[in-house]
Amino acid sequence: MRRILFVMTGVDYWTLADGTRHPTGYWAEEFAAPYREFTAAGHEIVVATPGGVVPTVDRASLAAEANGGQDRADEVAAVLESATELHRPITLAEADPAYYAAVFYPGGHGPMEDLAVDGDSARVLTDTLASGRPLAVVCHAPAALLATDTGDGSPFAGYRVTGFTNTEEAQAGLADKAPWLLQDRLLALGAEFAEGEPWASNVVVDRNLYTGQNPASSGPLAAEVVKALG
């Protein structure tokens, strides 16, 4: 059994370009699918959030239409309910990636608000990348990579990555309201963005960095990490 650190957003909103707050948090499938993959493989999960707050699920991610039907939505909700780790997170400030076999970042719009500018998260990302241990980031969570830019560049510059695309944000109806778009910011960071088909699974692996494009990519992304852990 190995420990895997889940770094998750601690906010329940995303500030839009007009200053209003869009209700959000983490995306249910992006926790539930990887959680099932890792625990089925015998690994232990530890959740960390800024301030150690219990993470908030984006209610939209529990809807039947977001999960391919009510039965699937009920399954995802049941995982969230049974995952005691979600209800007793550690503080991100005390998270030492050296104690974990891998680090995983679920998405949702929440990371666009807090992890994108969080220094503790930047430390975890930078240290994990340097360690060679698997670092996996999915959907909107690659926004956290932006906090690693010190002004003299980021250690993620030159890496192939994916994440929620401009096309997907537009189709979701939020691109025109967003203060910035993830794909644009990752390109500005110096990453090489690998865009797949909208809403289809797309997993990109570059050295020990594993990224997934969207919710459908979260399970396959975790499966790649399980394979890497052996």
Side-chain angles (χ1 to χ4, degrees), residues 72-126:
R72 168 81 170 143
D74 291 343
E75 290 175 8
V76 169
V79 173
L80 304 189
E81 182 65 28
S82 65
T84 57
E85 300 90 342
L86 269 177
H87 309 293
R88 45 179 176 81
I90 65 172
T91 66
L92 190 50
E94 67 180 304
D96 183 350
Y99 289 112
Y100 301 93
V103 174
F104 192 94
Y105 277 66
H109 280 104
M112 304 272 280
E113 184 74 26
D114 61 352
L115 299 184
V117 293
D118 190 285
D120 290 316
S121 174
R123 169 184 54 82
V124 169
L125 288 166
T126 300

Side-chain angles (χ1 to χ4, degrees), residues 39-162:
T39 55
H43 301 307
E44 178 185 347
I45 305 301
V46 175
V47 172
T49 63
V53 302
V54 175
T56 298
V57 65
D58 188 322
R59 303 305 301 180
S61 68
L62 294 174
E65 56 269 26
N67 291 281
Q70 191 60 51
D71 287 347
R72 168 81 170 143
D74 291 343
E75 290 175 8
V76 169
V79 173
L80 304 189
E81 182 65 28
S82 65
T84 57
E85 300 90 342
L86 269 177
H87 309 293
R88 45 179 176 81
I90 65 172
T91 66
L92 190 50
E94 67 180 304
D96 183 350
Y99 289 112
Y100 301 93
V103 174
F104 192 94
Y105 277 66
H109 280 104
M112 304 272 280
E113 184 74 26
D114 61 352
L115 299 184
V117 293
D118 190 285
D120 290 316
S121 174
R123 169 184 54 82
V124 169
L125 288 166
T126 300
D127 289 356
T128 307
L129 189 72
S131 75
R133 291 187 292 273
L135 171 61
V137 194
V138 68
C139 201
H140 287 94
L145 306 187
L146 304 179
T148 67
D149 188 352
T150 61
D152 296 320
S154 164
F156 292 92
Y159 276 78
R160 291 185 71 248
V161 305
T162 191

